[in-house]
Amino acid sequence: SFYFPYAYIYFCLGNHDVLLHDCLGPGPNLDLQLLKNVWLGDEVQSNSFDRGGYWSKRISENLKIISVNTLYYSKKNTLAGSCGDLNGPGWQQLSWLKNQLFAALSDNLKVIIIGHIAPMDVLYHTDCLAGFVDILGQFPGVVSAQIYGHSHLDDIFILKRSNVSVGFALTAPSIVPTYNPGYRVYYFDDVNGSLLDYHQFYTSRHHQNINYVMGYGCAKEFGAGPMDLVYFEYLLNREK
C-alpha cells in the first residue's frame, strides 16, 4: 500500500496457503474461513469462495478475472480426490468454471484465468486435466490468457483437446529468494482484454540486497503481435 497505493491485488490459493501443506478439503472449512478473515476484498464474500476458495470478478467493461483453486486438481491433495466424483470439490469447481465462461461469452467479455499450479499431466489428476481442457475447448476465444506460478520457472504450455490446441498457459518465477527469484509484469489491452506483452525481471542475489533487473520483454525478444494461442504456438515451434 505504500509503494503502490492504487494497485489492486487479485489472488489465488497456493499449496503453501493452507494449514496442511498441499491439502485442502471441500468447503466450507477452517482453511477457507481463516483466509476469508485475512483477505477483506469482496472476492471472498462469494459463495464460491466459501465452497472452494475460487472466485470471479469483472475488473473492467470488457475483462473478467477467474481465479481457480488448483489444489482441487492437484495429485498431491489427499483431501479432495480426483474430478471423477460428481460431488467432489474438483468436479464442482469445473462445473462452476464452465458456467463462468458461458456467462463471459454471453456478456462478450474476455477472461484472464489465474491459478497457482499450471495444468500439466504430471501435476493434475488425469480426469481433472481432461475436464479443464475440455471446458476451454468449448469456449474458443473467450480466455485471453492463463497465468500460473508454483514451478518457479519461466515457461509456456500449449493445452490440447483431442490433439487440437485450445489454449496456452504461462508460468513465471516467484519473488521467493530461494528458488530462481523473479517477477513478471503483464500488459493487457483495456478495450478488448488481449495480452499485449510481458516483461520478466530477475535477480542473481538470493538473500541480501536483492536488486531486480529486466531480463527480457516478450514483444522485443520474440516479436510483437497479438499474444494469443497462434502467437505462442508459432513461438514454441520456431524455438524448437
Side-chain angles (χ1 to χ4, degrees):
S1 61
F2 181 81
Y3 291 102
F4 303 100
Y6 303 108
Y8 198 93
I9 298 174
Y10 299 105
F11 71 98
C12 57
L13 294 188
N15 58 312
H16 293 283
D17 297 329
V18 288
L19 296 174
L20 183 60
H21 184 62
D22 290 319
C23 297
L24 179 69
N29 57 45
L30 178 60
D31 280 297
L32 295 175
Q33 185 58 55
L34 290 174
L35 289 166
K36 189 171 184 176
N37 292 341
V38 171
W39 203 271
L40 302 179
D42 55 1
E43 297 88 354
V44 299
Q45 304 307 318
S46 64
N47 290 332
S48 64
F49 188 87
D50 290 334
R51 186 169 60 247
Y54 42 90
W55 54 269
S56 68
K57 183 174 183 176
R58 187 168 179 170
I59 62 171
S60 70
E61 183 178 355
N62 301 301
L63 190 58
K64 179 180 186 178
I65 284 183
I66 296 178
S67 175
V68 293
N69 177 7
T70 55
L71 288 179
Y72 284 155
Y73 306 143
S74 171
K75 291 180 178 180
K76 290 186 176 182
N77 186 359
T78 58
L79 299 180
S82 70
C83 295
D85 180 3
L86 300 186
N87 295 314
W91 190 92
Q92 294 289 336
Q93 182 178 206
L94 289 176
S95 179
W96 171 86
L97 175 62
K98 183 176 180 177
N99 290 335
Q100 290 294 317
L101 292 176
F102 181 79
L105 177 64
S106 300
D107 294 335
N108 198 28
L109 300 176
K110 290 290 187 179
V111 168
I112 302 171
I113 293 179
I114 61 174
H116 185 68
I117 305 172
M120 301 170 59
D121 55 4
V122 296
L123 300 174
Y124 279 28
H125 287 291
T126 301
D127 50 9
C128 294
L129 180 60
F132 184 80
V133 173
D134 181 68
I135 290 171
L136 291 179
Q138 296 178 44
F139 300 93
V142 174
V143 178
S144 60
Q146 297 181 61
I147 300 172
Y148 300 94
H150 187 65
S151 66
H152 299 261
L153 298 175
D154 179 347
D155 217 338
I156 303 167
F157 303 93
I158 302 298
L159 304 178
K160 295 191 175 185
R161 173 197 188 201
S162 300
N163 211 34
V164 175
S165 300
V166 297
F168 67 92
L170 305 174
T171 65
S174 164
I175 60 172
V176 175
T178 309
Y179 305 107
N180 190 30
Y183 70 91
R184 180 175 292 178
V185 179
Y186 290 94
Y187 298 88
F188 290 89
D189 190 300
D190 289 337
V191 177
N192 61 29
S194 61
L195 176 62
L196 300 175
D197 196 6
Y198 62 80
H199 293 168
Q200 181 63 52
F201 295 80
Y202 74 96
T203 179
S204 59
R205 299 175 183 268
H206 286 206
H207 297 288
Q208 299 181 19
N209 302 319
I210 294 178
N211 295 308
Y212 288 96
V213 296
M214 192 170 92
Y216 70 93
C218 187
K220 183 177 181 180
E221 185 74 18
F222 302 114
M227 293 187 178
D228 52 14
L229 176 58
V230 174
Y231 176 93
F232 286 108
E233 276 200 297
Y234 172 77
L235 173 60
L236 291 177
N237 290 328
R238 189 184 72 182
E239 296 298 315
K240 286 182 178 180

